[in-house]
Amino acid sequence: MGDRYAKNAAVVFSLKHHIVWCPKYPRSVLTHPIDARLRALFAAIAAEHGMTLHAVEVMPDHVHLSVEPDPTLCVAEIVNRLKGRTSRVWRQEFPSLRSRLPTLWRRSDFAATVGAVSEKTIRDYIEAQKGG
């Protein structure tokens, strides 16, 4: 199966997502040493929940993640786990920033699926199943 698919005891899957979110207010606060700590937290949280992080980029005013979760996790759960834990730890470890930014993350985010085949290819395949 190579790198294209992952598997667990019950399913073979390829569920890859590109997720982006920003701090609560448009401020460039995700700089050193916060950026390095966020990377470490993202890796730890992903490992705890059976997610593979393929890429992480912490920009001063937003983050990008390429993540492949276990099929039991939906995108909302992935984002909530990552945002919730990082926000809690951030508030504990960087208290000087709390007055400038009382909450770390915005409630909104961006999520898109990433796949090996196009939507059209999948639709065509499904429609062709009964000779359609």
Side-chain angles (χ1 to χ4, degrees):
M1 284 186 284
D3 292 337
R4 190 168 174 182
Y5 298 102
K7 67 179 180 175
N8 64 23
V11 65
V12 176
F13 60 94
S14 176
L15 302 171
K16 297 177 178 95
H17 307 288
H18 175 209
I19 303 172
V20 182
W21 67 81
C22 304
K24 178 77 171 178
Y25 302 104
R27 296 186 180 146
S28 296
V29 296
L30 306 178
T31 57
H32 186 75
I34 294 169
D35 59 343
R37 185 63 176 128
L38 282 174
R39 287 175 181 275
L41 286 168
F42 289 147
I45 296 163
E48 288 172 19
H49 296 287
M51 297 182 262
T52 301
L53 288 179
H54 293 290
V56 176
E57 192 59 60
V58 179
M59 304 299 291
D61 62 349
H62 65 283
V63 297
H64 288 267
L65 297 168
S66 172
V67 61
E68 184 172 6
D70 183 274
T72 60
L73 294 175
C74 70
V75 174
E77 289 175 297
I78 296 164
V79 172
N80 287 340
R81 289 174 189 204
L82 292 167
K83 281 183 174 181
R85 177 100 147 271
T86 55
S87 182
R88 187 171 51 255
V89 171
W90 176 83
R91 292 176 55 74
Q92 293 168 349
E93 294 181 5
F94 302 97
S96 63
L97 294 175
R98 276 191 264 173
S99 61
R100 286 183 53 212
L101 201 64
T103 303
L104 180 55
W105 303 119
R106 287 184 184 178
R107 290 196 302 170
S108 61
D109 50 77
F110 167 83
T113 56
V114 179
V117 296
S118 71
E119 180 183 358
K120 181 179 180 337
T121 300
I122 292 169
R123 268 188 279 139
D124 291 347
Y125 174 80
I126 292 170
E127 290 170 0
Q129 292 305 296
K130 281 195 169 181

